[in-house]
Amino acid sequence: MQQVISLLQSGAFGKCFLNEPLAPHTTWKIGGPADILLIPRTREQLIDAVKLMHAHQLPWTILGRGSNVLIADKGIRGVVIKLGPALETLRFEGETVYAGAAYSFIKLSVMAGKEGLTGLEFAGGIPGTVGGAIYMNAGAHGSDVSRILLRAEVLLSTGELVTMQKDDFEYTYRHSRLHHQPGIIIEAVFGLKTGDRKEIAEAMASYKERRLRTQPLQLACAGSVFRNPPDQFAARLIEEAGLKGFRIGGAEVSPLHANFIVNTGQATAHDVLALIEHVQQCVMAAYGVKLVTEVLVVGER
């Protein structure tokens, strides 16, 4: 282990931090330390780092902008790889869009709209990166990643680079093959359509206005906590169970949007997990519906 740490600290694989608190790297502002936080400066450094960890059987976890994730209070063992500027790339070739994994998904939707391309309007309110959106099959407003993704370049845990076509991801609701086959998105290719710039801008403005009005974006949160059950809305079930404003420690079911749990200032991962369990129990007791979390819980509890 010490040999690997020395290699990582050499700078050959990017910036390296030991025992780095991860709360500042997440939108929930919650989470213990990473044994090692690595931020590769180049694509080649990322590939080399994964090969090194594979050779030494060192566990790793990928982190983008830290949305849609709850990091446990004891942190994450092994190496946390944070995707940096090296993968914040974007280019347009007609109706085809090439986006690096670290590129903001919201910014991507804005840039596509400015190019007069339609198909990404739904992404205007989804925080996080392109890579995270592909991993989760992120979606909103009746659309999702699976409808626009053509293919993606993926770095496997062995350090091998492969191209995965959309069908290879085996997409279902908020789920992809990468949930059980670890890999790092390097670049995604999306297929959009030429549209009317004014109509695209109006749709995105409408979505933004609704988001600002209905979501607690002024507080630290991670987006929707629970997946919507079939033919139902998690937020409605939680609200009807009388849980808006319910609090455990520093974690609170948002009074504005019941499917958001906000950090009121000093919330711990333990608080959030306890609140998630309470919400699940209440909704099951009231409606017989099992709520499944959409956020990813990682690290040592």
Side-chain angles (χ1 to χ4, degrees):
M1 178 70 169
Q2 189 56 49
Q3 178 188 3
V4 179
I5 291 175
S6 296
L7 287 170
L8 293 176
Q9 286 184 305
S10 71
F13 301 90
K15 295 181 180 179
C16 180
F17 306 89
L18 301 185
N19 200 36
E20 174 73 8
L22 291 174
H25 298 277
T26 73
T27 60
W28 236 331
K29 304 305 177 187
I30 293 172
D35 287 343
I36 303 168
L37 176 66
L38 183 68
I39 308 176
R41 287 186 290 265
T42 68
R43 168 192 172 107
E44 290 70 26
Q45 286 182 340
L46 171 61
I47 295 170
D48 289 343
V50 170
K51 288 180 177 178
L52 177 71
M53 288 179 280
H54 176 69
H56 291 269
Q57 295 298 296
L58 188 62
W60 55 266
T61 303
I62 197 72
L63 184 66
R65 291 175 177 256
S67 63
N68 202 50
V69 63
L70 177 64
I71 296 175
D73 295 318
K74 293 182 180 179
I76 300 177
R77 307 289 68 83
V79 179
V80 173
I81 304 172
K82 184 170 182 179
L83 301 182
L87 297 184
E88 290 182 17
T89 57
L90 178 66
R91 74 180 191 276
F92 295 93
E93 294 183 5
E95 295 181 334
T96 305
V97 184
Y98 298 80
Y103 203 86
S104 162
F105 203 42
I106 290 177
K107 186 176 179 181
L108 175 62
S109 70
V110 172
M111 298 303 290
K114 289 181 178 179
E115 292 286 324
L117 296 174
T118 183
L120 264 165
E121 291 89 333
F122 76 91
I126 299 177
T129 61
V130 167
I134 291 173
Y135 178 88
M136 287 298 299
N137 191 22
H141 308 295
S143 190
D144 58 32
V145 165
S146 71
R147 300 187 184 217
I148 57 171
L149 181 68
L150 297 178
R151 61 187 179 276
E153 188 178 28
V154 180
L155 178 62
L156 302 181
S157 59
T158 59
E160 178 188 3
L161 276 172
V162 299
T163 297
M164 293 178 61
Q165 303 298 322
K166 179 182 72 175
D167 291 346
D168 294 333
F169 285 93
E170 299 172 2
Y171 278 132
T172 55
Y173 177 65
R174 303 296 179 267
H175 188 272
S176 77
R177 178 177 172 178
L178 293 182
H179 282 75
H180 50 82
Q181 179 186 325
I184 301 173
I185 304 294
I186 299 294
E187 184 180 65
V189 183
F190 299 103
L192 304 181
K193 298 292 183 184
T194 301
D196 183 278
R197 281 183 172 83
K198 182 180 178 181
E199 291 180 0
I200 294 169
E202 288 175 349
M204 293 188 66
S206 175
Y207 292 158
K208 181 178 181 180
E209 185 278 328
R210 179 183 176 186
R211 185 170 71 255
L212 293 174
R213 178 168 43 85
T214 63
Q215 297 180 6
L217 302 180
Q218 74 281 9
L219 296 174
C221 60
S224 295
V225 173
F226 300 100
R227 302 178 184 182
N228 287 323
D231 303 318
Q232 299 189 71
F233 293 99
R236 183 178 299 166
L237 293 172
I238 298 167
E239 181 175 356
E240 290 177 353
L243 293 169
K244 268 190 170 182
F246 187 86
R247 186 183 292 202
I248 294 180
E252 180 185 52
V253 176
S254 170
L256 190 61
H257 192 305
N259 200 14
F260 280 64
I261 290 177
V262 298
N263 179 356
T264 61
Q266 300 296 324
T268 64
H270 182 271
D271 294 338
V272 175
L273 289 169
L275 187 51
I276 286 173
E277 184 177 353
H278 179 76
V279 169
Q280 289 172 319
Q281 291 174 346
C282 290
V283 170
M284 174 60 75
Y287 305 108
V289 176
K290 181 181 180 180
L291 290 180
V292 177
T293 54
E294 179 174 322
V295 295
L296 303 175
V297 181
V298 296
E300 183 181 356
R301 303 188 193 184

